[in-house]
Amino acid sequence: MGQRSGDVSSAARLAGPGEGIGADELALATRNHGLPLEALRHDVTPPGLHYVLTHYDIPYMPDAGAWRLTVDGRVRTPLDLSLADLLSFPQVTTRVTLECAGNGRALLTPRPVSQPWLVEAVGTADWTGVPLGLLLAEAGADPAAADVVFTGADHGVERGVEQDYQRALPLAVAAGDDPAVLVATRMNGAPLPPQHGWPLRLVVPGWYGMAHVKWLRSVTVSDVPFTGFQHSVAYRIRRSADEEGEPVTRIAPRALVVPPGFPDFMSRTRVVRPGPVRLFGRAWSGQEPVSSVEVSTDGGAHWARAVLDPVVDGQRWAWRAWHHDWDAVPGEYAVGARATDAVGGTQPLEQRWNRGGFANNAVHWLSVLCAADAHSP
């Protein structure tokens, strides 16, 4: 019997008791990278520091002039657009925080075997492009349609299924203007880097990263709900393998701390001097604006309110800075922060486990040593 492409693909699984990170997970971790937490100091993340998750290969696109984007399906007038055509539409720039749905996965017990994120799968950028609603209006999308399906140029096999990377949004979300979904051509004022979707990608403010389809080549309006792999199999919150599960959609609230002081090379334990220490970080939510941030230096036994920067006009979908002044005395500390948004969503202290390791927004703790001095070699 002949071999099939799916034969190379293993089933989803959980790590066994005491099982360390495997070679396959390390291979994923070398391809994908997160934001060094000290880079949270940047209001806008430089592209090389912004987190990257690539499911399959980064497509090689030497000639962006040959790229086409089609808008078809349940539309009055199908579109076949070049990059030059897209640039003739009104352009919008939106500052958006993107977070991978699997952020925090490697901290779960048992650990879902996949890209082993800690908490660094995040970044914020200024994305420029055409509001998707304008393209759907130009094509005359059927208002009775169910979903809009987005297909990228990246192709691979996952859990035995050969596929192009595809995701969908409900028509009301795809065509809406609060927020406007973008077909983006630029990141931080420059053309998209290859790893961030050159020459076109989708940007869906407030949604986890799986929705932001890169290397976008087609937009298809469908009169039936999309049931592709990345919708009905992957990116579902399940506690058991036989559950249908809930779809992963909007980003849960999270706050992270810029690591204070300086680190130990291997353990990443932070060292600070006694006296005033300004703790600083970022907070975000894809549900509603963050309304408060609290900080603890004792592992959650006590919390203090941080000073939260105001929402900047036009930056509702970007993270917000916060700070808290701490008077450190010699000792060992567990420092963390938790965000609460305007609809009452807040970060839990304990992990909320699921088989895919998705939407895990438990408070992250930094080990901090306050010491009068440190040994030098």
Side-chain angles (χ1 to χ4, degrees):
M1 187 173 181
Q3 297 294 299
R4 299 170 301 175
S5 60
D7 293 340
V8 304
S9 186
S10 59
R13 72 179 185 88
L14 302 175
E19 179 183 349
I21 300 290
D24 50 354
E25 291 174 286
L26 286 175
L28 285 175
T30 61
R31 290 186 50 79
N32 304 307
H33 69 81
L35 173 83
L37 291 185
E38 62 269 27
L40 287 166
R41 293 190 177 278
H42 294 274
D43 290 333
V44 175
T45 309
L49 294 176
H50 195 290
Y51 97 91
V52 169
L53 176 70
T54 301
H55 276 254
Y56 308 128
D57 283 351
I58 298 171
Y60 178 56
M61 301 297 166
D63 182 10
W67 190 266
R68 313 297 295 188
L69 176 70
T70 59
V71 182
D72 56 18
R74 300 288 294 185
V75 300
R76 182 181 61 251
T77 307
L79 306 179
D80 184 357
L81 303 169
S82 67
L83 285 180
D85 294 330
L86 285 167
L87 293 174
S88 71
F89 285 86
Q91 305 291 301
V92 171
T93 298
T94 306
R95 184 167 295 180
V96 177
T97 294
L98 268 65
E99 182 177 10
C100 185
N103 205 15
R105 175 185 291 124
L107 302 173
L108 297 175
T109 303
R111 187 184 76 257
V113 176
S114 185
Q115 166 65 31
W117 292 125
L118 297 173
V119 294
E120 67 283 3
V122 67
T124 294
D126 289 333
W127 303 97
T128 301
V130 182
L132 177 63
L134 291 182
L135 299 181
L136 294 173
E138 181 80 6
D142 183 349
D147 282 350
V148 181
V149 182
F150 308 95
T151 303
D154 45 332
H155 183 88
V157 59
E158 196 166 347
R159 300 189 216 170
V161 180
E162 185 177 344
Q163 60 190 283
D164 294 331
Y165 187 83
Q166 289 184 305
R167 285 284 305 184
L169 293 170
L171 177 63
V173 175
D177 59 6
D178 186 26
V181 177
L182 295 182
V183 176
T185 58
R186 300 181 73 81
M187 179 184 189
N188 295 352
L192 297 174
Q195 72 273 27
H196 289 293
W198 163 261
L200 288 178
R201 74 170 298 162
L202 204 66
V203 174
V204 189
W207 285 56
Y208 279 111
M210 77 283 151
H212 304 239
V213 178
K214 294 183 282 188
W215 312 292
L216 182 66
R217 59 182 179 85
S218 71
V219 175
T220 302
V221 180
S222 173
D223 57 1
V224 297
F226 179 61
T227 58
F229 177 89
Q230 302 293 342
H231 243 59
S232 59
V233 179
Y235 294 107
R236 311 283 295 192
I237 295 177
R238 303 179 176 93
R239 292 190 62 84
S240 64
D242 56 356
E243 284 184 53
E244 179 182 356
E246 294 294 323
V248 178
T249 56
R250 291 187 173 273
I251 299 172
R254 187 191 293 275
L256 288 176
V257 182
V258 173
F262 53 90
D264 172 69
F265 173 68
M266 281 300 297
S267 71
R268 308 312 292 178
T269 294
R270 309 301 298 190
V271 179
V272 300
R273 302 296 188 220
V277 175
R278 172 154 288 193
L279 300 174
F280 172 84
R282 303 282 178 175
W284 61 93
S285 173
Q287 310 285 338
E288 289 290 337
V290 170
S291 57
S292 67
V293 172
E294 299 169 286
V295 178
S296 175
T297 58
D298 57 11
H302 301 88
W303 294 89
R305 190 85 167 229
V307 177
L308 183 63
D309 283 7
V311 176
V312 177
D313 287 346
Q315 296 181 12
R316 155 69 185 88
W317 303 103
W319 56 28
R320 296 169 68 183
W322 58 265
H323 69 270
H324 173 71
D325 291 328
W326 172 39
D327 188 18
V329 298
E332 297 181 7
Y333 300 90
V335 175
R338 65 182 177 190
T340 299
D341 65 25
V343 290
T346 194
Q347 293 181 251
L349 296 182
E350 302 294 332
Q351 62 187 21
R352 293 171 179 165
W353 187 88
N354 63 85
R355 288 185 61 87
F358 298 127
N360 172 32
N361 66 330
V363 172
H364 177 241
W365 299 103
L366 294 170
S367 295
V368 179
L369 172 68
C370 178
D373 54 27
H375 296 292
S376 298

